[in-house]
Amino acid sequence: QLPLCRVFKVSCLSCGYTMPRRDYQISLEETNSEWAMKNLYHHGRKSADIRADGDAHLENDDFDDFEVPGCKKCGGLMMPRVVFFGGSIPKETKETAMSMILEASSVIVLGSSCQVASVYRLCKAAAEKSPAPSDIVLVNIGPTRIDPLISLKIEA
C-alpha cells in the first residue's frame, strides 16, 4: 500500500509521533480560545473569511498571542502529514509510487498540470517502461506537461 500523505494526521518533525488531526485541532482551539474569540468572531458570530481549503483570510496580522501546541511526547513541532508546495515527498513514498507505476498497465491523472517534477517523473516512467508502456489517461483543463505522453485526454 502506498504510504500516502494524509491531511487527517499530524506528525512531530522531531520524534515522528503521529496523532489524528482532529485531536490536534481541539488542542489548538483550546490553547488559543481567547485569540480565536478576539480575531475570528465579531459579536459572537464567526467573521473570518473561511476558504474552501480550510484557510481563513484574517483582518488581523498580529499572531504574537497565538500559540502552536508542541508534540505531546517531546515538545517538537507538529505538522500535517502532507507535502506543502516546495516540500519534499518522503523517500519511501516516492519509491512505492514508482514501483506501483512500473507494475501498472494504465494510469489515470486527475486535475493536475504535472508541472511538479515528482509527478512528471512518474508519468514519464509509465510512458517509457518496457516491454509495454502504460496507457495514460488525463482529466484536466488546458495544456499540461505530460500531453505528449498521454493516450487519452478528457478536458473537464
Side-chain angles (χ1 to χ4, degrees), residues 35-103:
W35 186 93
M37 288 305 293
K38 187 170 92 176
N39 294 285
L40 300 179
Y41 294 88
H42 183 66
H43 300 298
R45 300 190 67 187
K46 209 173 249 188
S47 62
D49 176 14
I50 307 295
R51 309 287 168 88
D53 63 359
D55 281 351
H57 175 73
L58 304 174
E59 297 299 323
N60 178 19
D61 60 0
D62 179 10
F63 293 90
D64 289 342
D65 295 336
F66 189 87
E67 293 181 45
V68 179
C71 172
K72 290 181 180 182
K73 301 280 186 192
C74 74
L77 182 63
M78 301 293 286
M79 281 191 58
R81 297 220 19 187
V82 296
V83 178
F84 291 102
F85 185 79
S88 296
I89 297 172
K91 182 180 178 187
E92 178 188 356
T93 302
K94 283 195 273 192
E95 291 172 352
T96 303
M98 184 60 76
S99 174
M100 293 172 77
I101 284 291
L102 295 176
E103 293 174 14

Side-chain angles (χ1 to χ4, degrees), residues 2-52:
L2 184 62
L4 294 173
C5 299
R6 303 189 187 278
V7 75
F8 55 86
K9 291 188 179 206
V10 294
S11 293
C12 177
L13 296 178
S14 298
C15 73
Y17 171 72
T18 299
M19 66 186 290
R21 168 66 192 247
R22 179 177 4 111
D23 294 349
Y24 187 75
Q25 186 67 34
I26 290 168
S27 173
L28 193 64
E29 290 174 11
E30 288 173 350
T31 302
N32 294 288
S33 61
E34 288 181 31
W35 186 93
M37 288 305 293
K38 187 170 92 176
N39 294 285
L40 300 179
Y41 294 88
H42 183 66
H43 300 298
R45 300 190 67 187
K46 209 173 249 188
S47 62
D49 176 14
I50 307 295
R51 309 287 168 88

